[in-house]
Protein backbone atom coordinates (compact mmCIF):
# COMPACT_ATOMS: atom_id res chain seq x y z
CA UNK A 1 0.00 0.00 0.00
CA UNK A 2 1.44 3.40 -0.99
CA UNK A 3 1.30 6.56 1.13
CA UNK A 4 -0.14 9.88 0.07
CA UNK A 5 3.34 11.27 -0.49
CA UNK A 6 4.05 8.52 -3.03
CA UNK A 7 0.96 9.02 -5.22
CA UNK A 8 1.60 9.64 -8.92
CA UNK A 9 -0.69 10.64 -11.77
CA UNK A 10 -1.55 7.72 -14.11
CA UNK A 11 0.31 7.49 -17.40
CA UNK A 12 -1.12 9.88 -20.01
CA UNK A 13 -2.86 12.10 -17.40
CA UNK A 14 -0.34 14.91 -17.76
CA UNK A 15 0.75 16.38 -21.09
CA UNK A 16 3.83 18.46 -21.74
CA UNK A 17 2.81 22.03 -22.51
CA UNK A 18 3.51 23.33 -26.04
CA UNK A 19 6.17 26.03 -25.85
CA UNK A 20 5.54 27.98 -29.03
CA UNK A 21 7.88 30.48 -30.63
CA UNK A 22 11.04 29.03 -29.05
CA UNK A 23 13.14 28.54 -32.18
CA UNK A 24 13.14 26.27 -35.22
CA UNK A 25 14.38 23.20 -33.34
CA UNK A 26 11.25 23.09 -31.17
CA UNK A 27 9.10 22.47 -34.25
CA UNK A 28 6.92 25.43 -33.27
CA UNK A 29 9.28 28.29 -34.07
CA UNK A 30 8.89 31.15 -36.56
CA UNK A 31 5.10 31.21 -37.07
CA UNK A 32 4.48 29.42 -33.74
CA UNK A 33 2.13 26.84 -35.22
CA UNK A 34 -0.22 29.42 -36.76
CA UNK A 35 0.81 28.99 -40.38
CA UNK A 36 1.64 31.87 -42.67
CA UNK A 37 -0.31 35.15 -42.77
CA UNK A 38 -4.08 35.57 -42.76
CA UNK A 39 -6.64 36.43 -40.10
CA UNK A 40 -5.96 33.36 -37.97
CA UNK A 41 -2.25 34.15 -37.84
CA UNK A 42 -2.87 37.54 -36.24
CA UNK A 43 -3.21 38.23 -32.55
CA UNK A 44 -6.56 39.26 -31.07
CA UNK A 45 -8.53 37.06 -33.42
CA UNK A 46 -11.87 35.46 -32.53
CA UNK A 47 -10.93 34.87 -28.92
CA UNK A 48 -13.79 36.72 -27.30
CA UNK A 49 -16.60 34.91 -25.54
CA UNK A 50 -19.69 34.27 -27.60
CA UNK A 51 -18.01 34.54 -31.03
CA UNK A 52 -19.89 32.39 -33.54
CA UNK A 53 -17.82 32.72 -36.69
CA UNK A 54 -19.47 35.93 -37.82
CA UNK A 55 -23.01 34.62 -37.24
CA UNK A 56 -25.11 36.85 -34.99
CA UNK A 57 -24.17 35.67 -31.46
CA UNK A 58 -26.79 34.07 -29.24
CA UNK A 59 -26.68 36.85 -26.64
CA UNK A 60 -27.62 39.33 -29.38
CA UNK A 61 -30.27 37.12 -31.00
CA UNK A 62 -32.25 36.68 -27.77
CA UNK A 63 -34.53 39.52 -26.63
CA UNK A 64 -33.71 41.67 -23.65
CA UNK A 65 -36.12 41.32 -20.75
CA UNK A 66 -36.71 42.38 -17.16
CA UNK A 67 -36.54 45.69 -15.37
CA UNK A 68 -34.65 46.80 -12.27
CA UNK A 69 -36.23 49.74 -10.47
CA UNK A 70 -33.35 51.64 -8.88
CA UNK A 71 -35.75 53.70 -6.76
CA UNK A 72 -37.43 50.68 -5.13
CA UNK A 73 -37.44 50.58 -1.33
CA UNK A 74 -36.75 47.19 0.28
CA UNK A 75 -38.36 46.73 3.70
CA UNK A 76 -37.39 44.14 6.32
CA UNK A 77 -40.42 42.15 7.51
CA UNK A 78 -41.38 41.41 11.11
CA UNK A 79 -44.50 39.54 12.20
CA UNK A 80 -46.64 40.63 15.16
CA UNK A 81 -45.87 37.38 17.04
CA UNK A 82 -42.13 38.22 16.92
CA UNK A 83 -42.76 41.42 18.92
CA UNK A 84 -43.29 39.19 21.99
CA UNK A 85 -39.48 38.85 22.19
CA UNK A 86 -39.40 42.44 23.46
CA UNK A 87 -40.63 43.30 26.98
CA UNK A 88 -44.29 44.37 27.12
CA UNK A 89 -44.87 48.11 27.13
CA UNK A 90 -41.62 48.87 25.31
CA UNK A 91 -41.13 50.95 22.19
CA UNK A 92 -40.69 48.85 19.07
CA UNK A 93 -38.43 50.61 16.58
CA UNK A 94 -35.61 49.61 14.22
CA UNK A 95 -32.95 49.85 16.95
CA UNK A 96 -34.95 47.66 19.37
CA UNK A 97 -35.69 45.07 16.68
CA UNK A 98 -32.02 45.05 15.67
CA UNK A 99 -30.99 44.52 19.29
CA UNK A 100 -33.20 41.43 19.56
CA UNK A 101 -32.01 40.13 16.18
CA UNK A 102 -35.32 40.40 14.31
CA UNK A 103 -33.91 42.73 11.64
CA UNK A 104 -30.41 43.25 10.31
CA UNK A 105 -30.76 46.93 9.49
CA UNK A 106 -29.73 46.42 5.86
CA UNK A 107 -33.09 47.37 4.31
CA UNK A 108 -34.67 50.74 3.71
CA UNK A 109 -36.97 50.33 6.71
CA UNK A 110 -39.16 47.92 8.66
CA UNK A 111 -42.68 46.68 7.90
CA UNK A 112 -44.77 44.89 10.54
CA UNK A 113 -47.09 42.17 9.22
CA UNK A 114 -50.18 40.90 11.01
CA UNK A 115 -49.39 37.21 11.50
CA UNK A 116 -50.15 36.09 15.06
CA UNK A 117 -51.43 37.58 18.31
CA UNK A 118 -50.04 39.95 20.94
CA UNK A 119 -50.23 39.59 24.72
CA UNK A 120 -48.88 42.98 25.86
CA UNK A 121 -49.22 46.57 24.71
CA UNK A 122 -46.43 48.01 22.55
CA UNK A 123 -45.70 51.38 20.99
CA UNK A 124 -44.74 50.51 17.43
CA UNK A 125 -42.63 53.07 15.51
CA UNK A 126 -41.90 51.66 12.06
CA UNK A 127 -41.92 52.70 8.40
CA UNK A 128 -44.95 50.61 7.39
CA UNK A 129 -47.53 48.39 9.05
CA UNK A 130 -50.23 46.23 7.52
CA UNK A 131 -53.89 46.87 8.36
CA UNK A 132 -54.14 43.51 10.15
CA UNK A 133 -51.03 44.20 12.24
CA UNK A 134 -52.31 47.66 13.20
CA UNK A 135 -55.58 46.09 14.33
CA UNK A 136 -53.78 43.46 16.46
CA UNK A 137 -51.47 46.05 18.11
CA UNK A 138 -54.32 48.46 18.92
CA UNK A 139 -56.55 45.61 20.15
CA UNK A 140 -53.80 44.63 22.63
CA UNK A 141 -53.79 48.23 23.93
CA UNK A 142 -50.76 49.39 21.97
CA UNK A 143 -50.15 52.41 19.78
CA UNK A 144 -48.84 52.76 16.20
CA UNK A 145 -46.64 55.69 15.12
CA UNK A 146 -45.58 55.61 11.48
CA UNK A 147 -42.26 57.23 10.60
CA UNK A 148 -42.34 59.78 7.79
CA UNK A 149 -41.99 58.07 4.42
CA UNK A 150 -38.50 58.13 2.93
CA UNK A 151 -38.35 60.01 -0.32
CA UNK A 152 -36.97 58.31 -3.40
CA UNK A 153 -34.20 59.95 -5.42
CA UNK A 154 -36.74 60.98 -8.04
CA UNK A 155 -38.93 62.67 -5.44
CA UNK A 156 -35.91 64.51 -4.00
CA UNK A 157 -35.00 65.80 -7.45
CA UNK A 158 -38.57 66.98 -8.08
CA UNK A 159 -38.59 68.80 -4.73
CA UNK A 160 -35.27 70.52 -5.54
CA UNK A 161 -36.61 71.65 -8.94
CA UNK A 162 -39.76 73.02 -7.32
CA UNK A 163 -37.63 74.88 -4.73
CA UNK A 164 -35.49 76.46 -7.45
CA UNK A 165 -38.63 77.50 -9.36
CA UNK A 166 -40.10 79.08 -6.23
CA UNK A 167 -36.85 81.01 -5.57
CA UNK A 168 -36.73 82.22 -9.17
CA UNK A 169 -40.31 83.57 -8.97
CA UNK A 170 -39.69 85.52 -5.75
Amino acid sequence: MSSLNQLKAPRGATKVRKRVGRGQASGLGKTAGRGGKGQKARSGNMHFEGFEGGQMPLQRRLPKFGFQNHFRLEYEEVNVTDLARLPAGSVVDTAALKGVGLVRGRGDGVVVLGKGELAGAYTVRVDRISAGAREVVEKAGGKVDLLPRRRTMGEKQKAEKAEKKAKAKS
Side-chain angles (χ1 to χ4, degrees):
M1 192 85 196
S2 62
S3 315
L4 284 174
N5 66 338
Q6 294 172 333
L7 288 176
K8 289 182 180 174
R11 192 181 307 151
T14 56
K15 273 164 69 173
V16 179
R17 184 174 67 90
K18 277 186 186 179
R19 296 186 70 228
V20 298
R22 294 292 186 274
Q24 289 281 25
S26 69
L28 290 167
K30 194 182 173 191
T31 56
R34 288 172 173 255
K37 295 188 190 173
Q39 187 180 13
K40 290 184 181 177
R42 316 290 186 205
S43 67
N45 166 49
M46 299 182 288
H47 290 299
F48 53 89
E49 204 173 327
F51 183 75
E52 296 188 19
Q55 174 176 303
M56 185 63 69
L58 184 68
Q59 74 269 23
R60 289 190 61 196
R61 291 198 304 266
L62 295 176
K64 290 189 275 187
F65 64 93
F67 172 74
Q68 290 289 322
N69 184 358
H70 300 293
F71 303 118
R72 179 181 174 170
L73 298 177
E74 292 278 342
Y75 291 101
E76 292 189 73
E77 298 173 356
V78 177
N79 280 309
V80 171
T81 41
D82 298 330
L83 300 182
R85 288 197 201 171
L86 295 160
S90 64
V91 175
V92 178
D93 59 356
T94 308
L97 292 170
K98 201 173 181 181
V100 182
L102 288 173
V103 295
R104 291 181 172 181
R106 293 183 185 162
D108 296 310
V110 177
V111 58
V112 178
L113 303 176
K115 187 176 180 185
E117 295 296 321
L118 263 185
Y122 294 92
T123 303
V124 181
R125 287 196 188 118
V126 290
D127 298 277
R128 287 174 68 187
I129 189 165
S130 69
R134 182 187 287 268
E135 195 177 298
V136 171
V137 169
E138 289 172 351
K139 188 178 173 185
K143 189 175 133 190
V144 175
D145 292 334
L146 287 182
L147 299 173
R149 192 173 76 84
R150 294 183 186 186
R151 294 190 306 176
T152 62
M153 288 171 65
E155 290 169 341
K156 287 177 187 174
Q157 288 172 347
K158 280 181 186 175
E160 285 173 11
K161 278 185 182 177
E163 245 178 66
K164 283 180 184 177
K165 235 182 194 179
K167 281 184 183 177
K169 282 184 179 179
S170 60

